[in-house]
Amino acid sequence: MKSYQKLRTAHAAARLEEEGAAPLPSGRGRLAPCWVGSGLLVAAVLLSTVTVWVLRQVSGGWLGPTPPPKCLLVPESQRFDCYPERRVVVTQELCESRGCCFIQSPPLAEGKQGVPWCFYPPDFPSYALESLNQTALGMVGVLVRREKAYYPRDIEKLRLDVEFETDTRLHIKITDAANPRYEVPLDVPRVTKRAENPIYSLNFSWDPFGVLLQRKATGAVLLNTTVAPLIFADQFLQISTSLPSKFLYGLGEHRDSFLHSLDWNTLTFWARDVAPTESFNLYGAHPFYLLMEEGGNAHGVFLLNSNAMEVALQPAPGLTWRTIGGVLDFYIFLGPDPNMVIQQYQQVIGFPAMPPIWALGFHLCRWGYGSSNETWQTVRAMRNYQIPQDAQWNDIDYMDGYRDFTLDSQKFTSLPSLVEDLHKHGQRYVMILDAGISSTSPHGSYWPFDEGLRRGLFLNTTKGQPLIGQVWPGFTAFPDFSNPDTHQWWLENLQHFYAHVPFDGVWIDMNEPSNFMDGSEDGCPPGELDSPPYTPAVLGDSLSAKTVCASAEQKASVHYNLHNLYGLMEAKATASALVRIRGKRPFLVSRSTFPSQGRYSGHWLGDNRSGWHRPLLDLFGIPLVGADICGFSGSTSEELCTRWMQLGAFYPFSRNHNTQNEQDPTAFSPAARTAMKDVLLTRYSLLPFLYTLFHRAHLQGDTVARPLFFEFPRDVATWELDRQFLWGQSLLVTPVLEPGVDSVTGYIPQGTWYDFYTVRNPCLSPEPSHPCPSLPAQGSSLNSSGEMLKMSAPLEHLNLHVRGGSILPTQKPGTTTGVTRGNPLRLIVALSSHATAWGDLFWDDGESLDTFEKGNYSYVVFNVTQVGCGGEGRSGGPMAPGHLELIIFGVQKPPSKVLLNGQEKPFSYLDNQVWPHFRVPFAGRGSPC
């Protein structure tokens, strides 16, 4: 929502008056939501009426004439915006010309949004449900509007399709009953059987039409769209709903708190190249939200629509979807816990790809190395200090004139030798590619453009000529990745470059697509694609702001429909090409993203600045995600970069990248460098655990880095926490996010927790003859009832806690994932209060395609009970190294002996209830108890 008191220019007001629609005739009375108690409604009405009367007396009448009684019946928090246009002076005359209520509210501070002055009355005309019939999968209905709405080309008759797809998934789709409309070309599951025992009940309001969805177990109303009218015009689609609580998450990509504010907050979805800034539309579009209900249940809603969109949040609590094209295609996921909601969402959009193991190592990059020799020097320095590193990257420096698929023959002439050296040391090389293809080289000198032009593979203007914009190399054309022929051309370009520089992964950037000019070198043509009747709250107030014209023509549709899909389509083409070229799992990260992106790429959060930020948490099915550690732009400090490296070591995708100034670990003092090295060694020791988490994400849509409330949904204290996170179920990360402190306060959920760093004790040496010194006091178990705890956090320390009941597979860390994988396995067993624990390990060769699908893997489940412990699994592929070390936390008294498959084994025991060490052969099965 916006504040209507933020008046703009008289010119804007005059323009709107010229374009304003005639007043609407009054419609039928709206049905009151059936779940609202009459006493509550009357109280709200009386309070609203009295408040308005008092304000009018105090203000001396500045609020204007007294509104009709029906308008005073609407409480402020439930006023749904009837005039969302920005840059407009909204007057009473303009508002009432739409048949809406006009009540001014007190002014707010500049930049703040508030209660809308123009809002829908209870009797505003909407659609009526004319017919509803049963189908094999659900229902089909017809919606009819008998009075025109105020946006042009409103559609009088709509088709309603309802499919009860599973017991926990409902599909509701509303589209034009007479004419086909653009729909997102996303592969979604097609069901053949109606759900037999859904955990939800669905009802409809017939006139006006509305959807009422409830959870059977609790009666909670998850959707109630009768709160505001449905509008369905050719370029303006709007539907609103009440929400059962204020705890709303998702709706990316925006720089915002993890828990969204419902205080008149608007989030916009239109991919845009802009450094992450609050209140702006950023690189990706993910119209999906998760909401926590009272009692700890959760549900999610996904609008499958790729057009420019905004979601308006208000304190009712309520939500309004507005989009300017396509159809209203909703999936609702009933959970009931938040983990299950995310899994059900990914059952629709697709589970993420399994990354190669080296993708989970530490990556290093800088825009400004200047030469391949300078890049090489950084790699050597990392090796000299024995700091873990799996991949070295280059930004656009390596290119000749910033042109894709070229190499600067002066400054980067030794790049092939650098890549060869990386490969000899078990490391990888990743290069950047931008979306724009240089269009200014002499004919015959730049094959990518010449061949793309010959084949007709670029976005075209409405006149059928390639649309020319401007990016780093100067004037550029933009590949049309909606065209399958472009995928072949893209493959050929990558093959040609790979023959000179055998890269291991690709980083696709500037793919919103970014454009340094608005639209094209010739601007954009007049028309309702580039200047629609309604433009969502996009940065720049234009769909073409720093991107291409919405009217640009592509193979599948106009760019107006495909803009938010550009990064996804490029990622799909790039992943396919990498498989063809290397024959291994592809590795790539993309800046622009859309639902299902995780099937093809990871994601980094763009051009972030150095500063003290919260951790990132992913709800969108892209588990391989991370921010540029220490910040891409701006000046970091040694303290900031050390703390950020500690946090970034636990990003699922861990990369230090910046512009110009050095900020890799070798650039700092010995103390800071040691702290960074130590936390990276911790990450590498946990690679078996992390890799297994990614397997579970690939197999069933589990999250890797998850918020605390995913594991503790009944603990309301966790619902607002976004300064801590978990790896899977088991590892709690509490980073320091403030300067100048040596302690951190974090929430410890109910249960038994153990300080992870106990296992860094020399007792974990592969040689059991080494003595075990006394462990620090924090090595003992911490039994929490769910409380905030102040923890020591000197600059060299990151607080990590292992959850009781968990078994973490780890390894002695090396400087690359390859070295680490050759080291012995270590199981960290953290006993629960009931002396039980569980964990698992997925193991394959780390890079081959479809190892799980082909059965070329080993999977072991470890468990501990009060009477023993063991491992069960299957082995059809590579096994972990041939011996295992076991450390158990929480043993209450010394055991008399330890047996492995009936044979007694040596062990040691410490008196702080930590049983740290014995060494046993690893065979996939066995009970070391």
Side-chain angles (χ1 to χ4, degrees), residues 228-249:
L230 167 66
I231 296 178
F232 201 120
D234 182 41
Q235 291 183 272
F236 186 88
L237 291 72
Q238 177 175 280
I239 190 169
S240 303
T241 182
S242 63
L243 299 172
S245 87
K246 66 177 183 179
F247 293 96
L248 183 88
Y249 314 85

Side-chain angles (χ1 to χ4, degrees), residues 789-840:
L789 180 67
K790 185 176 181 179
M791 296 169 273
S792 175
L795 187 61
E796 69 275 7
H797 183 68
L798 171 70
N799 278 278
L800 299 175
H801 289 86
V802 183
R803 185 179 179 183
S806 305
I807 300 178
L808 306 187
T810 72
Q811 285 181 291
K812 181 181 178 180
T815 54
T816 66
T817 54
V819 172
T820 301
R821 281 170 59 83
N823 290 335
L825 269 176
R826 296 168 170 172
L827 291 186
I828 299 174
V829 179
L831 295 181
S832 70
S833 58
H834 303 292
T836 61
W838 180 94
D840 60 343

Side-chain angles (χ1 to χ4, degrees), residues 280-295:
F280 289 169
N281 48 301
L282 301 182
Y283 309 107
H286 294 269
F288 164 79
Y289 71 76
L290 180 146
L291 187 139
M292 292 298 294
E293 307 160 28
E294 183 178 350

Side-chain angles (χ1 to χ4, degrees), residues 174-497:
I174 303 174
T175 190
D176 189 334
N179 300 297
R181 293 177 60 81
Y182 168 78
E183 298 186 29
V184 182
L186 190 69
D187 292 331
V188 294
R190 302 296 181 186
V191 298
T192 58
K193 182 181 178 182
R194 178 174 178 153
E196 295 181 355
N197 298 294
I199 65 173
Y200 50 86
S201 62
L202 180 67
N203 293 290
F204 298 99
S205 167
W206 284 68
D207 189 2
F209 167 75
V211 176
L212 295 104
L213 179 69
Q214 288 183 282
R215 185 181 297 279
K216 286 182 179 179
T218 63
V221 177
L222 310 185
L223 297 176
N224 175 10
T225 68
T226 67
V227 294
L230 167 66
I231 296 178
F232 201 120
D234 182 41
Q235 291 183 272
F236 186 88
L237 291 72
Q238 177 175 280
I239 190 169
S240 303
T241 182
S242 63
L243 299 172
S245 87
K246 66 177 183 179
F247 293 96
L248 183 88
Y249 314 85
L251 297 174
E253 181 176 30
H254 301 91
R255 181 175 172 181
D256 201 352
S257 59
F258 185 57
L259 174 65
H260 286 301
S261 168
L262 271 61
D263 188 16
W264 308 106
N265 183 22
T266 298
L267 304 170
T268 309
F269 303 80
W270 185 248
R272 165 69 193 252
D273 174 7
V274 59
T277 307
E278 291 185 9
S279 303
F280 289 169
N281 48 301
L282 301 182
Y283 309 107
H286 294 269
F288 164 79
Y289 71 76
L290 180 146
L291 187 139
M292 292 298 294
E293 307 160 28
E294 183 178 350
N297 290 324
H299 72 274
V301 177
F302 170 44
L303 174 54
L304 180 52
N305 184 294
S306 62
N307 290 93
M309 183 190 308
E310 63 189 15
V311 175
L313 308 175
Q314 63 190 79
L319 175 151
T320 297
W321 299 92
R322 295 189 196 103
T323 182
I324 60 173
V327 301
L328 296 177
D329 192 0
F330 288 102
Y331 288 86
I332 301 98
F333 312 101
L334 274 291
D337 72 58
N339 284 296
M340 295 174 69
V341 170
I342 302 303
Q343 290 174 347
Q344 292 156 13
Y345 172 48
Q346 292 177 84
Q347 287 169 1
V348 171
I349 65 171
F351 295 130
M354 185 67 184
I357 182 68
W358 63 267
L360 308 185
F362 178 62
H363 302 245
L364 191 57
C365 184
R366 182 158 64 90
W367 181 25
Y369 283 126
S371 68
S372 50
N373 286 338
E374 188 177 340
T375 310
W376 209 338
Q377 289 170 8
T378 300
V379 173
R380 291 191 186 109
M382 292 285 286
R383 290 177 191 160
N384 289 339
Y385 289 114
Q386 295 186 311
I387 301 173
Q389 181 189 3
D390 260 84
Q392 180 62 52
W393 300 39
N394 274 125
D395 209 313
I396 57 177
D397 317 74
Y398 79 89
M399 300 177 184
D400 181 8
Y402 299 142
R403 296 179 302 166
D404 283 350
F405 310 112
T406 66
L407 186 65
D408 185 327
S409 60
Q410 303 269 319
K411 298 178 180 178
F412 281 81
T413 185
S414 63
L415 184 59
S417 299
L418 166 59
V419 174
E420 181 181 7
D421 179 71
L422 289 169
H423 291 167
K424 285 180 179 178
H425 287 83
Q427 296 172 303
R428 270 72 176 186
Y429 180 72
V430 179
M431 65 175 190
I432 194 172
L433 287 175
D434 287 346
I437 299 295
S438 175
S439 62
T440 58
S441 299
H443 181 71
S445 66
Y446 185 48
W447 191 86
F449 178 74
D450 292 341
E451 189 63 14
L453 185 64
R454 186 184 71 82
R455 300 186 197 181
L457 304 179
F458 298 120
L459 273 64
N460 284 336
T461 67
T462 55
K463 296 180 180 179
Q465 298 299 316
L467 183 148
I468 302 300
Q470 186 176 17
V471 201
W472 290 112
F475 290 111
T476 57
F478 299 88
D480 176 10
F481 289 104
S482 76
N483 185 345
D485 294 339
T486 305
H487 292 214
Q488 176 62 31
W489 164 84
W490 193 247
L491 166 65
E492 293 169 16
N493 279 290
L494 285 164
Q495 286 173 327
H496 295 160
F497 192 79

